[in-house]
Amino acid sequence: EAGVAQSPRYKIIEKRQSVAFWCNPISGHATLYWYQQILGQGPKLLIQFQNNGVVDDSQLPKDRFSAERLKGVDSTLKIQPAKLEDSAVYLCASSYPGLITDTQYFGPGTRLTVL
Amino acid sequence: KQEVTQIPAALSVPEGENLVLNCSFTDSAIYNLQWFRQDPGKGLTSLLLIQSSQREQTSGRLNASLDKSSGRSTLYIAASQPGDSATYLCAVYTGANNLFFGTGTRLTVIP
């Protein structure tokens, strides 16, 4: 079974630029999550999708971050404009069928550096 | 708000030693607790998941315990190996599929 795929793996941009990350979850997984992991901290949930609908985006900085999951499969996370404090690893995870006791499977992450 | 703390932040042990990693959480109203392993440049790999009704789970050389009432969990690694070197994260499941992560313990096993 293929795992969660993310691209790019690394991205370096200057502040105020825009950036987008892509995630392809495990086939058949209805629930998709985006996490932000700042160096030395644990991952923090940014947004959770169930199919193509948003379940929780309470910690997503909506003035600059946006995410979509068209067709309920792949997802993109965008930052516009980026700030220095956005430097982090952005992790995508998926689960099926998204039950409370279900395990989330994580992708390798995208390491973003904002200069 | 749920807060998860892990102690120590970093740990170095010689190969073959048994070790314990600690995790504490502030709100005992959890559905389960999960231990993850994170290797540099890679995502998280689930190691053990303990349901709130369980006291412990074992997988190979790993044993995780849960004391929900006191808000504590431990991960015991027996006969440590250099390949165990990684960051270990604990996370608690609250409602609505929310995973709250600790800050992790960076383990180095010295050959």
Side-chain angles (χ1 to χ4, degrees), chain A residues 9-10 31 33 35 37 40-43 45 48 55-56 59 91 98-104 106-109 111, chain B residues 1 31-32 34 36 38 40-46 49 51 89 93-104:
Chain A
R9 293 295 310 278
Y10 305 92
T31 308
Y33 313 79
Y35 290 86
Q37 185 177 21
Q41 300 182 17
L45 180 69
Q48 176 188 341
V55 174
D56 182 358
Q59 298 195 84
L91 295 165
L99 298 177
I100 290 173
T101 58
D102 195 43
T103 297
Q104 295 183 20
F106 285 79
R111 181 177 298 276
Chain B
K1 178 186 174 183
Y31 290 95
N32 60 52
Q34 201 162 357
F36 291 86
Q38 185 172 32
K42 297 186 179 180
L44 280 66
T45 301
S46 178
L49 186 152
Q51 303 292 352
L89 294 155
Y93 255 120
T94 62
N97 269 333
N98 281 332
L99 263 180
F100 287 90
F101 283 87
T103 52

Side-chain angles (χ1 to χ4, degrees), chain A:
Chain A
E1 166 180 270
V4 177
Q6 290 187 248
S7 68
R9 293 295 310 278
Y10 305 92
K11 190 73 176 180
I12 300 174
I13 62 173
E14 295 188 350
K15 60 183 180 182
R16 291 188 288 273
Q17 286 187 323
S18 301
V19 64
F21 312 129
W22 173 82
C23 173
N24 185 17
I26 293 173
S27 178
H29 281 198
T31 308
L32 185 146
Y33 313 79
W34 282 102
Y35 290 86
Q36 180 192 58
Q37 185 177 21
I38 294 173
L39 185 64
Q41 300 182 17
K44 181 187 78 172
L45 180 69
L46 292 176
I47 189 167
Q48 176 188 341
F49 291 94
Q50 183 77 13
N51 295 308
N52 61 350
V54 175
V55 174
D56 182 358
D57 63 357
S58 58
Q59 298 195 84
L60 187 73
K62 298 180 186 63
D63 57 334
R64 298 183 300 105
F65 286 64
S66 64
E68 60 182 11
R69 192 184 183 197
L70 300 176
K71 302 180 182 180
V73 181
D74 294 4
S75 176
T76 56
L77 176 69
K78 297 179 182 179
I79 307 175
Q80 180 181 8
K83 293 185 176 181
L84 296 177
E85 58 261 35
D86 297 332
S87 293
V89 175
Y90 291 84
L91 295 165
C92 179
S94 67
S95 66
Y96 174 86
L99 298 177
I100 290 173
T101 58
D102 195 43
T103 297
Q104 295 183 20
Y105 295 85
F106 285 79
T110 295
R111 181 177 298 276
L112 174 67
T113 302
V114 182
L115 303 176

Side-chain angles (χ1 to χ4, degrees), chain B residues 46-108:
Chain B
S46 178
L47 298 173
L48 290 165
L49 186 152
I50 311 176
Q51 303 292 352
S52 62
S53 59
Q54 297 175 322
R55 296 286 292 182
E56 64 179 320
Q57 280 286 342
T58 298
S59 176
R61 295 182 293 108
L62 305 180
N63 176 275
S65 68
L66 174 63
D67 184 342
K68 188 179 154 184
S69 61
S70 68
R72 295 178 187 274
S73 175
T74 61
L75 179 66
Y76 174 83
I77 302 177
S80 59
Q81 303 171 358
D84 294 331
S85 297
T87 295
Y88 291 81
L89 294 155
C90 73
V92 296
Y93 255 120
T94 62
N97 269 333
N98 281 332
L99 263 180
F100 287 90
F101 283 87
T103 52
T105 294
R106 189 172 68 253
L107 173 66
T108 303

